[in-house]
Amino acid sequence: MSQSTAKAAAADAGASAALRARTEVARLISYIVIGSGAAFLSLRASTLPTSRWEPLGAGSFPELVFGVLAVLCMVAAVRAVIDIRKAGGATRLGTSFSKWFVTRRYSFALFGLLVVYLLSLPLGGFSLTTFVFLLIAQLMIAGISKKTLIQSLIAALIFSVGLNMLFAEVFNVFLPRGVLFAG
Amino acid sequence: MMLDAFLAGAHQVFAFDTLIYMLIGSVAGIVAAAIPGFTVTMAIILTLPLTFTMGPLQGVSVMLSVYVGGYTGGLISAALLGIPGTPSSVATTFDAYPMARGGEPGRALSLGVWSSFFGTVISTIVLILAAPPLAMIAVKLGPWEYFSLIVFALTIVASLVGNSLMRGLIAGVIGLGLATIGPDPMMGQPRLTFDSAILTPGLPFLVVLIGIFAISQLMGEVEDHGKGNSSDALIPDVIEFKTWAVMREVLMHPVNLVRSSLVGVFIGALPGAGGSIANLLAYDQAKRSSKNPEEFGKGNPDGVIASEAGNSATAGGGLIPMIALGIPGSAVDAILMAALMVHGISVGPRLIMDNADLAYGMFVAMVVASLMMLVVCVLSMRLFLRVTDIPKQFIVPTVMICCVIGAFALNNRVTDLYLLGAIGLVGYGLKSIDYPLAPLVLGVILGPIAETNLRRALMSDGDWTVFFTRPISAVLLAAALLSVIFSVRSVLKMRKKDRPATDEQDGD
């Protein structure tokens, strides 16, 4: 193996170890969050009143399940710490997180839009809010041009008003009318 | 009695409106799975709200059409674009894509369609033979055995799905935990609701399922937006399908066809393992037993037959534990089970006894669905080839709306939609750090069954040792422990394998 190839291979191995360590840090955080939540819920379930009719009451099963979950998360967290140390520790976490976030910016934007849509659904009703959601989401993904605007307008109209009519007329499923149009 | 039930089921399936709905379902399944990135599970989820107003057998028949069609639809993008339309058609790309590239796209598609058809039919035959006797045995199981069976199912799921047993177990237990929120299944006492109106009725299984699978998947679809699709489309103007010649070609490989289908049935019957594992395993078996293994990966018809027959046969295989034991083999089976529960039918070993017409009707529906898939594919494959061209800008938001409708239509509760959003975000977060989501969903559906059986088992004297002294229960718990040990062993082996390579690199 030539010196330059060896150097490149070593650099690759180092980069992959660093990446592995950063992924493990993300997982470690998840273990801690889930484990703490599980421990809290297990304690909470243990305070539920016991049953007179059976040895296990309503709280026993959730107490057991969340207890097991907390233990599993603890074991996984210890394993993750060992893996991070083996990989030489996690560096540049901030940069890595911002890269992760930037790659997924459209996913989070779409989710944000979904949240706004769900919150405004009871107010504006299915047809109107769906039309607005679809129009914005389609333009966000495709970009704004004359062609995409016309396409998105047509698709939004079909899948908002059209879907509402289809479900009401054919499947007898009535989607929210909205407070604004309830009268 | 059995014949009566069979005829009653067939009568319902062969009703004109059911057949029309099944035809639409078949087309929808093929179209949905032909779009790269969209799975059979998502297609079934989207069908669900449409079946609420139908009768139980009609609804399940439509969902089975989508299921069978979906397994075939993944073939289209696998053969023509080299991108598996669904995870269950990964091995199809190995030989179907080179075959299509080599100037025979029509043959590659026809091979896949016929293999899927025969795979589904073989799996249905096994289902008809295996499910009723298994259910007869299962009704004799007590709550001890049932609880141990669920523990076994969850450990198998955790060890087979995903890259890490630990994360699989955590996901499964999260599912069990989510199922405990709300009223307890025996006395109705509220638990862990924190006096919240959203949590008081409990987390509806279907809302959790739609959020976990569909919303997280859709969010993932727009990741890395703008990078574009680097793969070249391969849709020539003239495609020669050679339908009947290819049918004979498939039948000329009976050993491969039957072996791959049986692999599919077996894998499908294991909880958690589905088409995504079956196609690879069937392909591997075909390659190992071939006289010319070096031809695999270069457009060998045996490779296409093995993969497609293997993944399609999981449909019938997955229904065996669902119908006979009430334990869904995969997320799709869990949705089918939930759809029946929405109609007030309890799925378990008594299904065949109490609702024999429904169970036998499902068997008939499987065969009819595979026939419909065949006819639809043979007649209109050319049209489906264009599906892969539909841009994401239309699909992602529209499918999201369909998910919202599905979650709302279940209980007509707007608060379910807030749950959907929250669960979707959690699912996306878990998925992005490599938690498998199937164990979580199975945990949610199996949670109440596990709890009810555990409490019944301990109702008399609270003695936990009974789980180990009753032979079937002890065997099932031992099997659960073994599946964990094997899984841990294989992880340790892989780590050992990786270590010398790293050491070598370090030493250079």
Side-chain angles (χ1 to χ4, degrees), chain B residues 103-416:
Chain B
E104 295 183 295
R107 184 178 167 219
L109 289 169
S110 292
L111 270 173
V113 168
W114 279 109
S115 308
S116 288
F117 171 70
F118 288 122
T120 311
V121 170
I122 292 171
S123 76
T124 310
I125 294 170
V126 179
L127 169 69
I128 293 169
L129 294 176
L134 193 58
M136 295 292 177
I137 299 168
V139 261
K140 292 184 182 119
L141 299 181
W144 308 270
E145 286 82 14
Y146 234 82
F147 178 75
S148 304
L149 183 65
I150 291 168
V151 172
F152 172 57
L154 277 177
T155 53
I156 285 271
V157 172
S159 56
L160 285 177
V161 181
N163 304 316
S164 152
L165 169 72
M166 186 55 95
R167 283 195 294 283
L169 282 174
I170 291 175
V173 182
I174 290 176
L176 288 177
L178 288 178
T180 64
I181 295 170
D184 92 271
M186 289 181 81
M187 303 292 181
Q189 189 180 334
R191 306 180 296 192
L192 309 173
T193 55
F194 302 97
D195 297 326
S196 149
I198 297 179
L199 297 177
T200 301
L203 304 184
F205 165 71
L206 289 169
V207 174
V208 175
L209 192 126
I210 297 173
I212 284 285
F213 270 113
I215 298 292
S216 67
Q217 170 91 28
L218 289 168
M219 283 174 72
E221 279 302 308
V222 290
E223 271 177 19
D224 271 341
H225 175 70
K227 274 197 173 173
N229 189 353
S230 57
S231 186
D232 298 332
L234 182 86
I235 308 174
D237 291 334
V238 183
I239 295 184
E240 196 63 54
F241 288 106
K242 298 175 189 161
T243 309
W244 304 112
V246 171
M247 182 196 78
R248 278 194 295 276
E249 188 182 353
V250 172
L251 289 173
M252 292 301 279
H253 297 77
V255 177
N256 183 17
L257 186 64
V258 173
R259 185 189 46 231
S260 305
S261 302
L262 292 180
V263 166
V265 171
F266 178 71
I267 295 294
L270 285 180
S276 48
I277 297 176
N279 75 109
L280 291 165
L281 206 63
Y283 183 87
D284 181 55
Q285 288 300 317
K287 191 176 174 182
R288 277 171 198 271
S289 44
S290 170
K291 285 176 188 159
N292 309 307
E294 70 284 351
E295 282 178 14
F296 275 73
K298 295 174 187 166
N300 189 330
D302 266 325
V304 186
I305 293 171
S307 171
E308 283 301 309
N311 70 24
S312 297
T314 54
L319 288 179
I320 296 173
M322 191 194 103
I323 291 178
L325 307 169
I327 294 189
S330 65
V332 173
D333 297 314
I335 306 166
L336 287 175
M337 189 165 153
L340 288 173
M341 285 154 74
V342 166
H343 287 288
I345 290 165
S346 87
V347 185
R350 291 210 58 87
L351 179 74
I352 289 185
M353 278 146 248
D354 298 341
N355 293 288
D357 57 333
L358 179 68
Y360 285 99
M362 281 168 78
F363 301 155
V364 176
M366 276 288 286
V367 178
V368 173
S370 58
L371 264 171
M372 274 187 179
M373 174 278 293
L374 183 72
V375 173
V376 168
C377 281
V378 167
L379 293 181
S380 44
M381 182 72 91
R382 219 174 291 274
L383 280 177
F384 296 133
L385 305 183
R386 301 291 161 199
V387 168
T388 49
D389 294 340
I390 301 174
K392 269 183 191 169
Q393 81 195 60
F394 297 122
I395 293 167
V396 174
T398 310
V399 173
M400 222 167 219
I401 294 300
C402 294
C403 293
V404 169
I405 295 174
F408 176 79
L410 185 66
N411 296 313
N412 284 328
R413 268 200 310 252
V414 176
T415 48
D416 282 354

Side-chain angles (χ1 to χ4, degrees), chain A residues 11-144:
Chain A
D12 274 356
S16 122
L19 182 69
R20 215 168 46 232
R22 286 196 288 268
T23 314
E24 276 308 322
V25 169
R27 286 179 191 148
L28 176 64
I29 294 169
S30 78
Y31 299 142
I32 294 170
V33 171
I34 297 169
S36 317
F40 167 72
L41 289 173
S42 181
L43 283 175
R44 180 92 185 187
S46 68
T47 61
L48 285 167
T50 50
S51 171
R52 278 190 210 173
W53 319 107
E54 49 170 344
L56 299 185
S60 307
F61 189 71
E63 188 185 349
L64 175 77
V65 166
F66 285 113
V68 170
L69 183 58
V71 172
L72 283 174
C73 286
M74 206 168 75
V75 175
V78 172
R79 185 77 244 175
V81 170
I82 295 170
D83 283 348
I84 293 165
R85 290 185 69 166
K86 266 189 189 165
T91 50
R92 293 187 294 137
L93 281 176
T95 324
S96 184
F97 177 74
S98 58
K99 222 183 214 174
W100 180 88
F101 191 81
V102 167
T103 314
R104 288 163 175 81
R105 64 193 185 282
Y106 280 95
S107 304
F108 288 114
L110 186 65
F111 181 74
L113 201 57
L114 178 72
V115 170
V116 174
Y117 165 65
L118 294 178
L119 290 174
S120 50
L121 198 58
L123 197 71
F126 180 82
S127 296
L128 177 68
T129 46
T130 304
F131 177 79
V132 176
F133 169 78
L134 284 175
L135 189 63
I136 297 174
Q138 286 171 1
L139 290 176
M140 185 182 83
I141 297 170
I144 301 174

Side-chain angles (χ1 to χ4, degrees), chain B residues 19-31:
Chain B
L19 289 175
I20 294 291
Y21 285 136
M22 284 179 78
L23 186 68
I24 297 170
S26 195
V27 174
I30 298 169
V31 169

